[in-house]
Amino acid sequence: MARNKFDADEEIEQKVNPRIVLRLMHWIKPFSKWMVLSCVLMLLSSVISLTSPYLIRMAIDKAIPNENIKMLVIISIALTLSVVIVRFLLAAKLKIMTRVSQKIIVNIRNDVFTKLQSLPFSYFDNRPHGKILIRVVNYVNSLSDLLSNGIIQLISDLFTLVVIVGFMVAIDPKLTLVSLAVVPILFIVLIAMKKKQHEAWKQESYKRSNLTAYLSESLNGMKITQSFAREEVNQGIFNGLCKTCKKVWIHAVNINNIIWPIVDNLSTLGVALVYLIGISWLGKTITIGTLVAFAGYIWRFWFPIQNLGNFYNSMVTTGAYVERILELLDEPEDITDRPGAKELPPIRGHVTFDHVNFSYEPGTRVLKDVNFVITPGMRLAIVGPTGAGKTTIVNLLSRFYNPDDGKILIDGIDIQELQIKSIRKQVGVMMQDSFLFSGSIMENIRYGRLDATDEECINAAKTVQAHDFITAFPDGYNTVLSANGGGLSQGQKQLISFARVLLSDPRILILDEATSSVDTHTEKALQKGLNELLKGRTSFIIAHRLSTIRNADKIFYVDHGEIVEEGNHKELMAKNGYYAEMVNR
C-alpha cells in the first residue's frame, strides 16, 4: 500500500486549532504548582525590570537639575539591586522549568509508548517503523520547550506588555498612541504569514519522517543491501531524501525569518516616531526625562512583542509535530477488552473455531468459514502453501486480530469476552521470526516469566537443547547479546526464543515454524524435549518439515483460507490428496 512506502507523505486530517492547546494542557496540569511559581517569578522580574526607565526619568528630571546627590545614590543603588534581583529570579525560574520540561518529556513519551503497546498489529503492518520512531523522539523534543518555557514566557510577556502600556499611558497618553501606531501592521503580517508557515513546517515534518523511515529500513536490511551490492543505489536514494529535507527546511526557515526583519524594522520605526514627535513637544508637554523614559519603555515594549513572535513561530512550527503525536494517540485501538471482560481462569486447552471469517483488508477474505474443535492435550499440525492462512489462524487465537465474524472459544468461553492479557498468559507463541532483546541470554529467556529462577531458566534451555551452546560462551547465560541477538546463528536465536516460550508454561502452545532454522541434528534432540513438554498441552504446530508434523494427532491442510483436508498422517496419505502430494514433493 502507498502508506507503507518510506517516501509517501502521511496525510494529517487534524488542523491546528485552539483545541490542540487545550489537549496539551493535559501534560502541563500535573506540574501546575511549579508552573504558577515560575510564572510568579517571571512576573516579579518583569515588574522590577520595568522600574528602570521610571528611575532614570526621576534622575534626569529631578535629581540632576536639583543636584540632589543623595537621590542619585539611592536611584543608582535601586537600579543595581533591580538588575541583581531580576537575574536571581530568572535563574530560579530557569532551574524550575528545566526540571519541569524534562518531566513533561518523560510523561509524553510514556503516553506515546503505552499507546504503541496497545495498538493492534495492523497499525505496525501499515507503517514504516522509522515514521513511528520519529514521533516518540524528535517530535516530543520539539514539543517539550513549547509546553514548559514557551507558555510561561507567553504569560509573562503578555503581562509585561500590559504593565509597559500602563507606565506609558501614565507618563504620556499621546506618545503612547504614537508608539503603538505601527502595531496593527505587525498583526496584519502575522495573520498573512500564518498559513504559509504552518504548511511549510508540515512539509518539513513529512520529509524528515520519510528520511527517518528510510534510514530505519536501510539499517534493518543492511545485510541484504550488501549481499546484492545495492550500496550505491541506496546511497542515491538517501542523498535524494536528504536534499529534499534540506530544501523544505530552508524554505520553512526563510518564511520564519521574514518575521524578524519586520518586527525589528517596526520597532525601530516606533522608536523613531517617538523621538521625532517627542522632540517637537519638548518644553511644551513633556520633559527630557519623560522622553528618555518613554524611549526606554518603547524598546522594552518590543522585546515581548519579539518574544510573542518567537512563540507564534514555535507554535506554528510545533503545530505540525503536535498533529502527528495527537494522531498517534487518537489512533483507534481495535483489539481491546470489552466492557466487563473477565479474566480467563486456568484452562484445560479446549479450542473451538465456529464459522470464523477474517480479512486483513475489506473485501479480501484470508480465512473462509473455518470450523474445527481441538480437545485438551491434542497436537494439531497446520500445513499448506505460503499465504494459505496458517499463521492467521493462530494469530486470531491469541487475539492479535479480531475475526470479521464467527466465534473462537477456549474451554467454551468466547475469547471476545475475555481480558486479552489473561488469554496471552496461557497461550505461548513461538513466532516464525525469532526476536531477541538487548541484554543477557538469561534475561531473554526470563522475558516471558519475570519471577522464574535461574534454575528454571536453565531447565527450559536444556529442554530445547540450548544449554550446551549457551554454556560454551565464556560468560554462559550472562552473555550479553546485541540488538536482535547479533552474533548468534538463526538456529541459536530460535532455540533461545523457544526456551523463553516454554518457561512461561502455557496450557496452549503455538509453534509457528519453530524448528525452521534448526539443523537436523539439533532438531532430533529437540523433538525429545518437545515430546515431554507437549504432553497434556494443546498445541498448534505450523511447519513444513515432515519430522515435525507426522506425529501430530490431527493435521489440517489449509489452502486459500479453507481447511481442505484433515486427519492424521496415515489417513491423509491414504487419501492421496493435497497433503500426500506435499509429502511426496
Side-chain angles (χ1 to χ4, degrees), residues 269-313:
L269 177 60
V271 174
L273 288 174
V274 168
Y275 278 123
L276 182 65
I277 296 177
I279 290 174
S280 65
W281 291 349
L282 277 177
K284 300 177 182 177
T285 59
I286 64 173
T287 64
I288 294 178
T290 298
L291 183 60
V292 171
F294 211 94
Y297 281 123
I298 193 62
W299 279 117
R300 281 172 169 76
F301 174 82
W302 283 101
F303 284 148
I305 288 290
Q306 288 178 328
N307 289 335
L308 290 175
N310 290 339
F311 179 82
Y312 174 80
N313 284 342

Side-chain angles (χ1 to χ4, degrees), residues 335-336 395-402 415-416 420 424:
I335 312 298
T336 57
N395 280 342
L396 291 176
L397 178 60
S398 300
R399 274 206 74 187
F400 294 136
Y401 301 91
N402 285 330
I415 63 174
Q416 298 289 331
I420 296 174
R424 294 174 184 170

Side-chain angles (χ1 to χ4, degrees), residues 66-82:
N66 297 326
E67 297 182 357
N68 191 335
I69 304 300
K70 183 178 179 180
M71 179 180 288
L72 277 176
V73 171
I74 294 174
I75 291 174
S76 299
I77 293 174
L79 287 172
T80 302
L81 286 176
S82 68

Side-chain angles (χ1 to χ4, degrees), residues 288-492:
I288 294 178
T290 298
L291 183 60
V292 171
F294 211 94
Y297 281 123
I298 193 62
W299 279 117
R300 281 172 169 76
F301 174 82
W302 283 101
F303 284 148
I305 288 290
Q306 288 178 328
N307 289 335
L308 290 175
N310 290 339
F311 179 82
Y312 174 80
N313 284 342
S314 178
M315 188 65 190
V316 172
T317 302
T318 310
Y321 304 148
V322 175
E323 290 177 22
R324 291 294 185 88
I325 296 172
L326 296 181
E327 179 201 43
L328 189 154
L329 292 175
D330 291 339
E331 190 72 26
E333 298 176 18
D334 298 329
I335 312 298
T336 57
D337 291 334
R338 289 182 178 180
K342 57 185 179 181
E343 186 172 354
L344 178 63
I347 61 174
R348 295 180 298 115
H350 191 284
V351 177
T352 302
F353 272 56
D354 182 11
H355 298 285
V356 172
N357 294 286
F358 177 74
S359 307
Y360 288 107
E361 296 180 2
T364 306
R365 282 285 170 88
V366 177
L367 295 182
K368 307 169 187 175
D369 197 34
V370 174
N371 282 284
F372 63 81
V373 176
I374 303 299
T375 57
M378 179 181 288
R379 301 184 192 183
L380 170 66
I382 306 176
V383 300
T386 301
K390 305 184 297 296
T391 299
T392 301
I393 291 175
V394 295
N395 280 342
L396 291 176
L397 178 60
S398 300
R399 274 206 74 187
F400 294 136
Y401 301 91
N402 285 330
D404 298 340
D405 48 69
K407 291 183 178 180
I408 302 172
L409 300 96
I410 297 179
D411 283 5
I413 307 173
D414 187 347
I415 63 174
Q416 298 289 331
E417 304 298 332
L418 298 170
Q419 296 175 6
I420 296 174
K421 288 185 178 180
S422 69
I423 297 173
R424 294 174 184 170
K425 284 181 180 179
Q426 299 193 60
V427 178
V429 182
M430 173 64 185
M431 297 286 191
Q432 182 175 357
D433 298 323
S434 303
F435 185 89
L436 299 180
F437 296 89
S438 300
S440 70
I441 293 177
M442 183 68 77
E443 289 171 336
N444 270 278
I445 295 175
R446 189 180 281 120
Y447 190 86
R449 207 180 102 208
L450 298 180
D451 60 346
T453 64
D454 288 354
E455 184 179 357
E456 289 173 322
C457 294
I458 293 172
N459 287 337
K462 287 180 178 178
T463 301
V464 300
Q465 307 302 309
H467 179 73
D468 290 342
F469 83 79
I470 293 175
T471 53
F473 292 120
D475 295 326
Y477 283 86
N478 293 320
T479 300
V480 177
L481 305 176
S482 58
N484 199 18
L488 297 180
S489 69
Q490 187 63 30
Q492 289 173 329

